[in-house]
Amino acid sequence: MTSQTLREARKYEEVTGKAIREEDRPAFHLSSYVGWMNDPNGFSYYDHKYHMFYQYHPYDSIWGPMHWGHAVSEDLLHWEYLPAALAPDEQYDRDGCFSGSAIELPDGRQLLMYTGVMRERTLEGGFCELQTQCLAVGDGRDYEKYEQNPVLDRTDLPEGASVHDARDPKIWRAKDGTYRCVIGNRPADGSGQILLFESEDAFHWKFRKVLAENHNRFGRMWECPDFFELDGKQVLLVSPQDMLPHGFEYHNGNGTLCLIGSYNEETDTFTEEADQAIDYGIDFYAPQTVLTPDGRRVMIGWMQNWDTCAVSGPTSRELPWFGQMSLPRELFIRDGRLFQKPLRELEEMRSHEVRHEQVTFSDVIRLPGVEGRQIDLEIELKAGDPEKVYQKFAVRFAQNGQYHTAVSFRPHESVLKIDRKFSGSRRAVIHQRRCLVRSEEGRLKLRVILDRFSAEVFVNDGEQVMSATIYTDQAADGISFFADGSVIMDVTKYDLVRGQV
Ligand code: FRU
């Protein structure tokens, strides 16, 4: 039975969502059907399609009572909206259906596992949230909440675990056919930990162990865990809140963290070996992964971040939608690090190839045919004179007389910077971010994917990625290159065209 709350949301989004013109949305990134979107939820492959649910407040382009929006796709690049899947319509989730995940049950139904939120008055007169884990079962379109919800509540948590910060279940099926899920939680030391639960049937759960502990190393509370095997290693992705900066690796505020290690399935023990940021740009948070039918581990993140999205500003009010997902990225491990490449199907959207080889320059140049706002741009750099490596290289895009966004590289410091200060933003949020990249003698490979409202920069074949949203006027579609010192560059540009797949 669909509740009144969900029926209203579905009606509202149908009428208002339809009225949004296609050209006012990203062309191949999923955006909110209408209103606000944050985290990807329930990213899964079910009934021959990819399903993406998302944190959703249809009624406004700012965060509000969380619903689950829903879209499906055959290639992860062309999305079709389905009616909202969940609404906050039960006692235990009356203040929000927070993030979670999805899995196919052996009987062919799809199971959603999410966090139910209930706000309660505290004795001091304030409010606190009670977070529990809940289930809904459905057919890929309509979902029925489980009558025995919540399936994990305060009685299932270990000692010292906060009931106010216990959320974002990620469920998977173990090799022996039983189920596991991890949630983000705040232990007594106020930082973050990942709790592991187990179940025979995906409906009855019990606490297994603390899978990973933050001990205040990487921010405090860890949100939105994902945990999977990749190239013989085990990977734990989390999104820490309240981070302190650490060199160029981690920045202040909400960040992303990838822990790489090993996993003993018998004892459910995760042993950390290495840590790194997931995305080094401005807008990325709460990623989730899916295993494709052909065995690729693909990640999509929320291409915004709580600390940089200026939710009170005009950006979020000028568009009838706010929030978009990142490109789907294929993950792999190389040299003990997480690498990301744009989903290979993106290449099927390429058209109008323009190539310039061995362009030698030491000032500002433009290249014939290299422009656009929905493009795939490959750049390979080397020093014009290896004895005297250039000082700086920059590519400016989304450019006209007034606006531009720049990616610049200083080989002597090995620092790559993205700067959207002149992108048209009217808010005092972060506009620049830098990261350390691997480069010798000024060599660097960049692949810049532009959609209407974003730039994703893949460095050195996916060793690092920097993502940023840019809400620049679409008429600003120029591209220019700058070099201080002599640079030799190969450039290939493709337009990315919808509907070719
Ligand atoms: C992360 C997050 C989750 C929570 C959701 C609420 O961005 O804070 O932890 O489930 O957003 O919308």
Side-chain angles (χ1 to χ4, degrees):
M1 260 287 288
T2 316
S3 70
Q4 170 86 3
T5 319
L6 185 58
R7 274 203 307 277
E8 272 168 20
R10 285 180 163 190
K11 211 158 135 196
Y12 180 84
E13 64 176 2
E14 203 193 336
V15 176
T16 46
K18 256 194 205 141
I20 302 177
R21 297 179 314 166
E22 228 180 62
E23 58 267 33
D24 290 334
R25 294 182 178 281
F28 49 91
H29 290 76
L30 179 64
S31 56
S32 185
Y33 192 12
V34 63
W36 166 273
M37 160 196 276
N38 57 287
D39 315 353
N41 292 161
F43 188 20
S44 53
Y45 188 79
Y46 174 74
D47 199 15
H48 310 290
K49 284 195 170 116
Y50 293 100
H51 286 249
M52 179 58 92
F53 304 82
Y54 52 90
Q55 289 287 279
Y56 184 36
H57 181 222
Y59 302 110
D60 203 343
S61 32
I62 55 172
W63 192 88
M66 281 292 111
H67 296 57
W68 274 35
H70 191 187
V72 289
S73 173
E74 275 167 29
D75 63 1
L76 294 168
L77 296 164
H78 298 76
W79 292 95
E80 178 198 337
Y81 291 104
L82 290 186
L86 300 176
D89 52 16
E90 294 286 346
Q91 181 69 3
Y92 51 83
D93 63 16
R94 64 177 183 220
D95 292 304
C97 299
F98 276 17
S99 286
S101 51
I103 199 170
E104 181 170 347
L105 291 169
D107 65 9
R109 294 177 303 162
Q110 192 180 32
L111 181 78
L112 310 182
M113 190 171 197
Y114 68 98
T115 301
V117 175
M118 248 166 97
R119 289 181 77 203
E120 286 190 333
R121 275 214 169 272
T122 60
L123 291 175
E124 297 80 44
F127 280 100
C128 68
E129 277 181 5
L130 255 190
Q131 302 189 336
T132 58
Q133 315 317 314
C134 306
L135 301 175
V137 182
D139 59 0
R141 186 184 180 93
D142 298 304
Y143 298 84
E144 196 86 45
K145 289 180 183 169
Y146 182 45
E147 65 277 8
Q148 285 176 47
N149 277 343
V151 294
L152 283 172
D153 64 15
R154 64 190 328 146
T155 61
D156 301 290
L157 299 179
E159 211 189 311
S162 166
V163 295
H164 311 301
D165 287 300
R167 58 181 175 272
D168 311 334
K170 170 76 191 204
I171 185 173
W172 73 94
R173 201 159 184 202
K175 288 200 182 109
D176 65 4
T178 62
Y179 297 86
R180 299 279 183 284
C181 86
V182 279
I183 66 166
N185 178 248
R186 195 190 291 276
D189 71 0
S191 69
Q193 63 182 0
I194 300 301
L195 303 180
L196 177 73
F197 297 85
E198 63 185 351
S199 170
E200 292 290 323
D201 59 2
F203 289 87
H204 301 87
W205 290 89
K206 61 173 196 281
F207 175 65
R208 172 95 169 102
K209 70 191 310 189
V210 176
L211 185 77
E213 290 172 292
N214 184 8
H215 294 306
N216 286 304
R217 289 172 298 160
F218 307 101
R220 293 193 170 134
M221 167 71 184
W222 283 354
E223 303 190 300
C224 301
D226 198 349
F227 190 59
F228 50 88
E229 197 258 316
L230 184 68
D231 297 335
K233 291 280 173 197
Q234 191 71 20
V235 174
L236 175 63
L237 304 181
V238 293
S239 295
Q241 296 177 316
D242 305 314
M243 286 190 102
L244 290 173
H246 188 257
F248 288 111
E249 192 63 27
Y250 303 108
H251 54 72
N252 315 61
N254 286 76
T256 53
L257 170 68
C258 168
L259 294 170
I260 301 173
S262 62
Y263 182 46
N264 179 330
E265 280 203 36
E266 243 122 74
T267 58
D268 281 312
T269 306
F270 175 60
T271 310
E272 287 176 35
E273 288 161 12
D275 67 271
Q276 64 172 94
I278 303 172
D279 192 289
Y280 294 80
I282 303 171
D283 299 298
F284 194 83
Y285 199 66
Q288 272 199 356
T289 66
V290 72
L291 195 60
T292 63
D294 62 4
R296 288 175 282 168
R297 180 60 64 173
V298 172
M299 176 180 76
I300 290 184
W302 179 40
M303 197 162 43
Q304 294 290 347
N305 182 296
W306 294 109
D307 279 339
T308 57
C309 67
V311 285
S312 59
T315 327
S316 63
R317 295 285 187 177
E318 271 162 17
L319 294 163
W321 57 270
F322 185 80
Q324 43 179 323
M325 295 299 170
S326 74
L327 269 181
R329 303 170 182 181
E330 295 180 19
L331 301 183
F332 54 101
I333 303 274
R334 189 185 286 166
D335 304 332
R337 281 186 58 90
L338 182 76
F339 273 64
Q340 307 169 43
K341 277 196 178 179
L343 187 83
R344 62 192 72 152
E345 284 79 351
L346 187 72
E347 285 156 41
E348 291 162 32
M349 291 176 65
R350 286 172 165 179
S351 74
H352 302 107
E353 175 179 339
V354 175
R355 184 160 169 81
H356 297 273
E357 277 174 29
Q358 300 289 300
V359 183
T360 307
F361 65 112
S362 52
D363 46 8
V364 178
I365 58 162
R366 284 174 177 266
L367 294 171
V370 179
E371 60 188 17
R373 286 290 289 275
Q374 289 166 56
I375 59 162
D376 189 340
L377 182 68
E378 293 180 332
I379 301 171
E380 207 166 334
L381 305 174
K382 63 179 182 201
D385 176 2
E387 305 283 288
K388 196 165 168 283
V389 173
Y390 59 94
Q391 292 296 322
K392 185 179 169 185
F393 161 85
V395 51
R396 290 178 165 186
F397 46 84
Q399 182 177 25
N400 62 8
Q402 197 176 2
Y403 303 121
H404 70 264
T405 292
V407 171
S408 59
F409 177 52
R410 289 184 179 276
H412 298 280
E413 286 120 61
S414 252
V415 169
L416 189 72
K417 180 167 99 177
I418 187 157
D419 185 346
R420 61 167 180 189
K421 185 171 176 192
F422 300 104
S423 65
S425 161
R426 292 176 192 274
R427 300 268 64 85
V429 293
I430 292 279
H431 290 119
Q432 301 173 345
R433 202 149 266 161
R434 288 176 293 174
C435 78
L436 269 186
V437 298
R438 206 186 333 208
S439 164
E440 267 163 41
E441 288 178 353
R443 289 175 187 276
L444 192 72
K445 269 174 103 173
L446 299 174
R447 182 167 171 202
V448 183
I449 312 285
L450 301 185
D451 197 347
R452 292 192 177 103
F453 305 101
S454 63
E456 286 159 281
V457 183
F458 293 79
V459 188
N460 288 336
D461 296 313
E463 185 162 26
Q464 279 149 317
V465 190
M466 300 182 101
S467 307
T469 53
I470 47 170
Y471 293 95
T472 316
D473 182 353
Q474 298 299 310
D477 66 351
I479 294 180
S480 64
F481 303 90
F482 164 85
D484 176 1
S486 177
V487 168
I488 302 177
M489 173 175 77
D490 288 341
V491 174
T492 313
K493 185 230 73 172
Y494 305 88
D495 292 333
L496 291 170
V497 181
R498 272 179 71 88
Q500 294 210 144
V501 180

